């Protein structure tokens, strides 16, 4: 089949690609490269965490004890569940069960919202007791070198992750709306695949953050 015939037979094929397979491969490759840059970004934070933990091991343990393990664990369960519903949603759209897929994407977004609500209450408590980064650290219950640095790392890492959660929710909402409009289905699902892939990365980052900040 010539390139012009391929374009006339597939309305989802962009003009600068010869086949739909080539287009899908390019989209997936681009997404994986983008995710690699995200890993490098969070990798820098993890490196900073490692250095400061090595410098202040006892203070870091004392600061970690001030974090709410029940809230962190609940958020971990919420995000893992959201990854599951996102994967089911993608699969449903891929096999042309679009309504089911759209519903599962919205469930994923609701779970992401629940994660942010829990995080809001956790942040509010930290602001109330003064466990804040740098010069804003005023918590009387723990005055030790490195405590303000721990909470700088904590707010930077969880804040950056929270930003990614908001971006992921926005992407999934756009995908759900577009699927409702009939733009994603069994013959055109790569966009949903990429969006769900991004959501899995967001969940994966939290799975590393939770034990490093709350448990170890």
């Amino acid at each position: 089949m010539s390139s012009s015939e391929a374009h006339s037979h597939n309305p989802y094929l962009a003009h600068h690609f010869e086949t739909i397979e080539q287009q899908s491969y390019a989209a997936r490759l681009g997404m994986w490269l983008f995710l690699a840059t995200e890993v490098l970004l969070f990798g820098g934070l993890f490196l900073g965490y490692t250095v400061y933990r090595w410098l202040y091991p006892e203070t870091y343990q004392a600061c970690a004890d001030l974090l709410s393990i029940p809230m962190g664990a609940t958020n971990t369960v919420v995000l893992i569940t959201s990854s599951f519903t996102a994967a089911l949603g993608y699969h449903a759209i891929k096999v042309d069960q679009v309504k089911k897929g759209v519903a599962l994407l919205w469930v994923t977004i609701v779970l992401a919202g629940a994660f942010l609500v829990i995080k809001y209450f956790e942040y509010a408590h930290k602001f109330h007791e003064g466990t804040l980064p740098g010069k804003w650290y005023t918590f009387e219950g723990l005055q030790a070198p490195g405590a303000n640095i721990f909470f700088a790392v904590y707010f930077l890492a969880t804040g950056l992750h929270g930003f990614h959660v908001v971006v992921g929710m926005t992407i999934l909402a756009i995908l759900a709306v577009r699927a409702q409009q009939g733009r994603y289905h069994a013959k055109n699902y790569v966009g949903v695949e990429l969006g769900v892939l991004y959501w899995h990365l967001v969940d994966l980052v939290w799975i590393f953050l939770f034990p490093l900040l709350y448990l170890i």
Side-chain angles (χ1 to χ4, degrees):
M1 183 183 294
S2 68
S3 176
S4 59
E5 288 175 330
H7 284 84
S8 63
H9 283 84
N10 195 332
Y12 306 105
L13 180 59
H15 66 88
H16 48 286
F17 292 106
E18 293 185 356
T19 64
I20 194 67
E21 290 79 15
Q22 184 187 54
Q23 177 176 291
S24 299
Y25 175 80
R28 291 184 177 111
L29 177 62
M31 189 61 183
W32 279 107
L33 290 174
F34 169 72
L35 294 181
T37 65
E38 292 286 86
V39 170
L40 289 175
L41 173 64
F42 281 99
L45 281 175
F46 290 137
L47 178 61
Y49 164 89
T50 303
V51 171
Y52 283 110
R53 186 178 180 83
W54 177 74
L55 291 173
Y56 307 101
E58 295 180 356
T59 302
Y60 260 62
Q61 186 57 58
C63 290
D65 292 341
L66 297 176
L67 300 180
S68 173
I69 293 179
M71 282 189 173
T74 302
N75 262 346
T76 303
V77 173
V78 167
L79 276 191
I80 290 175
T81 305
S82 75
S83 245
F84 185 62
T85 56
L88 289 178
Y90 159 67
H91 176 73
I93 291 173
K94 188 177 179 181
V95 297
D96 232 5
Q97 297 176 345
V98 177
K99 286 185 178 179
K100 180 181 177 182
V102 168
L104 285 164
L105 289 180
W106 284 115
V107 169
T108 304
I109 295 167
V110 170
L111 289 169
F115 174 89
L116 292 178
V117 169
I118 294 172
K119 206 66 201 165
Y120 163 77
F121 284 111
E122 198 175 352
Y123 273 11
H125 180 65
K126 293 286 169 287
F127 275 74
H128 176 72
E129 64 181 6
T131 45
L132 296 170
K135 64 180 182 181
W136 295 283
Y137 182 87
T138 58
F139 183 55
E140 297 292 338
L142 178 62
Q143 290 293 330
N148 58 343
I149 298 175
F150 174 90
F151 285 99
V153 173
Y154 166 79
F155 277 103
L156 182 60
T158 58
L160 184 61
H161 176 262
F163 171 74
H164 280 72
V165 170
V166 173
V167 172
M169 291 173 68
T170 304
I171 292 172
L172 292 177
I174 293 172
L175 292 173
V177 170
R178 289 167 68 96
Q180 280 177 313
Q181 295 171 340
R183 301 173 70 171
Y184 289 121
H185 40 71
K187 293 183 179 178
N188 183 38
Y189 56 84
V190 174
V192 180
E193 177 184 327
L194 302 183
V196 170
L197 196 58
Y198 176 82
W199 188 249
H200 288 329
L201 174 74
V202 172
D203 293 353
L204 184 64
V205 169
W206 179 257
I207 288 173
F208 279 97
L209 286 178
F210 174 59
L212 288 176
L213 293 173
Y214 292 74
L215 301 180
I216 298 177

